[in-house]
Amino acid sequence: MPPEKYNSRVDIHTFHKFLTHGTAYVKYGYVEKNRQVMVLSEFLVGKAYTFYTRSVSLDPERTDSKRAHVVKLFNGLRPSLRKALLHEHMNPEYTSWKEMVHEAEYQEMADNVDLQGFSGHGGQTQSNHSNCYNSG
């Protein structure tokens, strides 16, 4: 059963319904991966279709290539970093390269924070409370 037409209306339920039904339509309709976006574009109207024609349809191979690079980057990260990215809603199927790299760098810095204490004047200090943060 094909999805209802989507017009980019800002309504999470309408958008989620389009994604769910559209995904099922191409998956269970056995549409080849490289044709799925094009097939779903038939169900876009208004601003959604305009976005598709301006951003995706002009160079679908480049769009697929960009997505493949983001997925490859994500899959190459250590598991704890992938988990942190997913926790921040950084799905490699939908997140841009720039957003993924930015958030991965941020998460990497967060993972490397030394919790021994910080004086606030450019140097670390010993703290009686450091055991609260570091269990070993």
Side-chain angles (χ1 to χ4, degrees):
M1 176 176 198
E4 293 178 13
K5 298 220 179 236
Y6 179 68
N7 66 0
S8 75
R9 182 174 168 217
V10 182
D11 173 14
I12 191 67
H13 299 293
T14 303
F15 180 68
H16 186 264
K17 183 177 179 181
F18 176 76
L19 283 180
T20 304
H21 292 188
T23 301
Y25 183 72
V26 295
K27 181 178 180 181
Y28 298 116
Y30 302 102
V31 177
E32 297 171 25
K33 276 236 185 248
N34 62 339
R35 294 186 56 240
Q36 290 179 352
V37 173
M38 190 233 2
V39 167
L40 285 177
S41 73
E42 295 296 319
F43 303 100
L44 300 175
V45 294
K47 289 181 181 179
Y49 186 74
T50 300
F51 173 80
Y52 169 79
T53 58
R54 290 182 181 166
S55 302
V56 179
S57 69
L58 296 176
D59 197 354
E61 290 177 7
R62 181 174 174 187
T63 302
D64 288 345
S65 177
K66 282 180 168 180
R67 182 63 37 224
H69 281 91
V70 174
V71 170
K72 188 172 184 178
L73 166 69
F74 182 83
N75 290 337
L77 298 171
R78 69 178 183 277
S80 63
L81 193 49
R82 289 195 309 261
K83 182 178 180 179
L85 289 168
L86 288 172
H87 182 72
E88 295 299 320
H89 305 279
M90 295 283 129
N91 184 326
E93 293 294 332
Y94 308 108
T95 304
S96 73
W97 173 268
K98 185 177 178 179
E99 292 171 316
M100 185 66 73
V101 169
H102 176 77
E103 188 64 30
E105 288 173 343
Y106 183 80
Q107 291 295 332
E108 181 71 19
M109 286 188 293
D111 284 351
N112 291 318
V113 170
D114 183 6
L115 297 178
Q116 293 298 316
F118 188 74
S119 70
H121 302 331
Q124 291 186 347
T125 62
Q126 291 291 337
S127 169
N128 292 336
H129 301 290
S130 63
N131 289 336
C132 295
Y133 303 104
N134 191 356
S135 61

